[in-house]
Coordinates of all heavy atoms in Angstrom, one line a residue:
A282 N 2.9 -4.1 -0.9 CA 1.8 -5.1 -0.8 C 0.5 -4.4 -0.5 O 0.5 -3.6 0.4 CB 2.1 -6.2 0.2
L283 N -0.5 -4.8 -1.2 CA -1.9 -4.3 -0.9 C -2.7 -5.5 -0.6 O -2.9 -6.4 -1.5 CB -2.5 -3.5 -2.1 CG -3.9 -3.1 -1.9 CD1 -4.0 -2.0 -0.8 CD2 -4.5 -2.5 -3.2
E284 N -3.3 -5.6 0.6 CA -4.2 -6.7 1.0 C -5.6 -6.2 0.9 O -6.0 -5.2 1.4 CB -3.9 -7.2 2.4 CG -4.7 -8.3 2.8 CD -4.4 -8.8 4.2 OE1 -3.6 -8.1 4.9 OE2 -4.9 -9.8 4.6
V285 N -6.4 -7.0 0.1 CA -7.8 -6.7 -0.1 C -8.6 -7.7 0.7 O -8.5 -8.9 0.4 CB -8.2 -6.7 -1.6 CG1 -9.7 -6.4 -1.7 CG2 -7.4 -5.8 -2.4
E286 N -9.3 -7.3 1.7 CA -10.1 -8.2 2.6 C -11.6 -7.9 2.2 O -12.0 -7.2 1.3 CB -9.8 -7.9 4.0 CG -8.4 -8.3 4.4 CD -8.2 -8.2 5.9 OE1 -8.8 -7.4 6.6 OE2 -7.4 -9.0 6.4
D287 N -12.5 -8.6 3.0 CA -13.9 -8.5 2.8 C -14.5 -7.1 2.7 O -15.3 -6.8 1.9 CB -14.7 -9.3 3.8 CG -14.4 -10.8 3.7 OD1 -14.0 -11.2 2.6 OD2 -14.6 -11.5 4.7
N288 N -14.0 -6.2 3.6 CA -14.5 -4.8 3.6 C -13.4 -3.8 3.8 O -13.7 -2.7 4.2 CB -15.6 -4.6 4.7 CG -15.0 -4.7 6.1 OD1 -13.9 -5.1 6.3 ND2 -15.8 -4.3 7.0
S289 N -12.2 -4.1 3.5 CA -11.1 -3.2 3.8 C -9.9 -3.4 2.9 O -9.7 -4.5 2.3 CB -10.6 -3.3 5.3 OG -10.2 -4.6 5.5
L290 N -9.0 -2.4 2.8 CA -7.8 -2.4 2.1 C -6.7 -2.1 3.0 O -6.8 -1.2 3.9 CB -7.8 -1.4 0.9 CG -8.9 -1.5 -0.1 CD1 -8.8 -0.3 -1.0 CD2 -8.9 -2.8 -0.8
H291 N -5.6 -2.8 3.0 CA -4.4 -2.6 3.8 C -3.2 -2.4 2.9 O -2.8 -3.4 2.3 CB -4.2 -3.7 4.8 CG -5.4 -4.0 5.6 ND1 -5.7 -3.3 6.7 CD2 -6.3 -5.0 5.5 CE1 -6.8 -3.8 7.2 NE2 -7.2 -4.9 6.5
L292 N -2.7 -1.2 2.8 CA -1.4 -1.0 2.1 C -0.3 -1.1 3.0 O -0.1 -0.2 3.9 CB -1.5 0.4 1.4 CG -0.3 0.8 0.6 CD1 0.0 -0.1 -0.6 CD2 -0.4 2.2 0.1
E293 N 0.6 -2.1 2.8 CA 1.8 -2.2 3.7 C 2.8 -1.3 3.2 O 3.2 -1.3 2.0 CB 2.3 -3.6 3.6 CG 3.4 -3.9 4.5 CD 4.0 -5.3 4.4 OE1 4.3 -5.7 3.3 OE2 4.0 -6.0 5.4
L294 N 3.4 -0.4 4.0 CA 4.3 0.6 3.6 C 5.8 0.2 3.7 O 6.6 0.9 4.1 CB 4.0 1.9 4.4 CG 2.6 2.5 4.2 CD1 2.4 3.6 5.2 CD2 2.5 2.9 2.8
L295 N 6.0 -1.1 3.4 CA 7.3 -1.7 3.3 C 7.7 -1.9 1.9 O 6.9 -2.6 1.2 CB 7.4 -3.0 4.1 CG 8.7 -3.7 4.1 CD1 9.8 -2.9 4.9 CD2 8.6 -5.1 4.7
V296 N 8.8 -1.4 1.4 CA 9.2 -1.6 0.0 C 9.9 -2.9 0.0 O 10.9 -3.1 0.6 CB 10.1 -0.5 -0.5 CG1 10.6 -0.7 -1.9 CG2 9.5 0.9 -0.4
R297 N 9.3 -3.8 -0.8 CA 9.9 -5.2 -0.9 C 10.5 -5.4 -2.3 O 10.0 -4.8 -3.3 CB 8.8 -6.2 -0.8 CG 8.1 -6.2 0.5 CD 6.9 -7.2 0.5 NE 6.3 -7.3 1.8 CZ 6.6 -8.1 2.8 NH1 7.6 -8.9 2.7 NH2 6.0 -8.0 4.0
G298 N 11.6 -6.2 -2.3 CA 12.2 -6.6 -3.6 C 11.7 -7.9 -4.0 O 11.6 -8.8 -3.2
M299 N 11.3 -8.1 -5.2 CA 10.7 -9.3 -5.7 C 11.8 -10.4 -6.0 O 11.6 -11.5 -6.1 CB 9.9 -9.1 -7.0 CG 8.7 -8.3 -6.8 SD 7.4 -9.0 -5.8 CE 7.8 -8.5 -4.2
G300 N 13.1 -9.9 -6.1 CA 14.2 -10.8 -6.3 C 14.8 -11.4 -5.1 O 15.5 -12.4 -5.2
R301 N 14.6 -10.8 -3.9 CA 15.2 -11.2 -2.7 C 14.2 -10.9 -1.5 O 13.6 -9.9 -1.5 CB 16.5 -10.5 -2.4 CG 17.7 -11.3 -2.7 CD 18.9 -10.7 -2.2 NE 20.0 -11.1 -3.1 CZ 21.1 -10.5 -3.2 NH1 21.4 -9.5 -2.4 NH2 22.0 -11.0 -4.0
I302 N 14.2 -11.8 -0.5 CA 13.4 -11.5 0.6 C 14.1 -10.7 1.7 O 13.5 -9.7 2.2 CB 13.0 -12.8 1.3 CG1 12.0 -13.6 0.3 CG2 12.3 -12.6 2.6 CD1 11.7 -15.0 0.8
R303 N 15.4 -10.9 1.9 CA 16.2 -10.2 2.9 C 17.4 -9.5 2.2 O 18.2 -10.1 1.6 CB 16.7 -11.1 3.9 CG 15.5 -11.8 4.7 CD 16.0 -12.6 5.8 NE 16.6 -11.7 6.9 CZ 17.0 -12.2 8.0 NH1 17.1 -13.4 8.3 NH2 17.5 -11.3 8.9
C304 N 17.4 -8.2 2.4 CA 18.5 -7.4 1.9 C 18.4 -6.0 2.6 O 17.3 -5.6 3.0 CB 18.4 -7.2 0.4 SG 19.8 -6.3 -0.3
G305 N 19.5 -5.3 2.6 CA 19.5 -3.9 3.2 C 18.6 -2.9 2.4 O 18.2 -1.9 2.9
C306 N 18.3 -3.3 1.1 CA 17.5 -2.4 0.3 C 16.0 -2.5 0.6 O 15.2 -1.7 0.2 CB 17.7 -2.6 -1.2 SG 17.3 -4.2 -1.8
I307 N 15.6 -3.5 1.3 CA 14.2 -3.7 1.8 C 14.0 -2.8 2.9 O 14.6 -2.9 4.0 CB 13.9 -5.2 2.1 CG1 14.3 -6.1 1.0 CG2 12.4 -5.3 2.5 CD1 13.8 -5.9 -0.3
A308 N 13.1 -1.8 2.8 CA 13.0 -0.7 3.8 C 11.6 -0.1 3.8 O 10.8 -0.3 2.8 CB 14.0 0.4 3.6
F309 N 11.2 0.5 4.9 CA 10.0 1.3 4.9 C 10.0 2.4 3.9 O 11.0 2.9 3.6 CB 9.7 1.9 6.3 CG 9.4 0.8 7.3 CD1 10.3 0.6 8.4 CD2 8.3 0.0 7.2 CE1 10.1 -0.3 9.3 CE2 8.1 -1.0 8.2 CZ 9.0 -1.2 9.2
A310 N 8.8 2.7 3.3 CA 8.7 3.7 2.3 C 9.1 5.1 2.9 O 8.7 5.4 4.0 CB 7.3 3.8 1.8
A311 N 9.9 5.8 2.1 CA 10.2 7.2 2.5 C 8.9 8.0 2.5 O 8.0 7.7 1.8 CB 11.2 7.8 1.5
P312 N 8.9 9.2 3.2 CA 7.7 10.0 3.2 C 7.1 10.3 1.8 O 5.9 10.2 1.5 CB 8.1 11.2 3.9 CG 9.1 10.7 4.9 CD 9.9 9.7 4.1
A313 N 8.0 10.7 0.8 CA 7.5 11.0 -0.5 C 6.9 9.8 -1.2 O 5.8 9.9 -1.8 CB 8.7 11.6 -1.3
L314 N 7.5 8.6 -1.1 CA 6.9 7.4 -1.7 C 5.6 7.1 -1.0 O 4.6 6.7 -1.6 CB 7.9 6.3 -1.6 CG 7.4 4.9 -2.1 CD1 6.9 5.0 -3.6 CD2 8.4 3.8 -1.9
R315 N 5.6 7.1 0.3 CA 4.4 6.8 1.1 C 3.2 7.7 0.6 O 2.2 7.2 0.3 CB 4.7 7.1 2.6 CG 3.5 6.8 3.5 CD 3.7 7.4 4.9 NE 3.9 8.8 4.8 CZ 4.5 9.6 5.7 NH1 5.2 9.0 6.6 NH2 4.6 10.9 5.6
D316 N 3.5 9.0 0.5 CA 2.4 9.9 0.1 C 2.0 9.6 -1.3 O 0.8 9.7 -1.7 CB 2.9 11.4 0.2 CG 3.0 11.8 1.7 OD1 2.6 11.1 2.6 OD2 3.7 12.8 1.9
H317 N 3.0 9.3 -2.2 CA 2.7 9.0 -3.6 C 1.8 7.7 -3.7 O 0.8 7.7 -4.5 CB 4.0 8.8 -4.4 CG 3.7 8.3 -5.8 ND1 3.4 9.1 -6.8 CD2 3.8 7.0 -6.3 CE1 3.2 8.4 -7.9 NE2 3.5 7.1 -7.6
M318 N 2.1 6.7 -3.0 CA 1.4 5.4 -3.1 C 0.0 5.5 -2.5 O -1.0 5.0 -3.0 CB 2.2 4.3 -2.4 CG 3.5 4.0 -3.2 SD 3.3 3.6 -4.9 CE 2.7 2.0 -4.9
I319 N -0.1 6.3 -1.4 CA -1.5 6.5 -0.8 C -2.3 7.3 -1.8 O -3.5 7.0 -2.0 CB -1.4 7.2 0.6 CG1 -0.8 6.3 1.6 CG2 -2.7 7.8 1.0 CD1 -0.4 6.9 2.9
A320 N -1.7 8.4 -2.4 CA -2.5 9.2 -3.4 C -2.9 8.3 -4.6 O -4.0 8.4 -5.1 CB -1.7 10.4 -3.9

Side-chain angles (χ1 to χ4, degrees):
L283 177 67
E284 182 179 9
V285 180
E286 292 187 330
D287 292 339
N288 69 346
S289 61
L290 305 175
H291 305 281
L292 178 63
E293 182 185 58
L294 298 171
L295 179 69
V296 179
R297 296 177 180 270
M299 297 291 92
R301 259 190 209 165
I302 294 174
R303 296 183 73 176
C304 184
C306 64
I307 309 305
F309 291 115
L314 175 59
R315 177 193 66 207
D316 293 345
H317 172 80
M318 296 304 284
I319 289 171

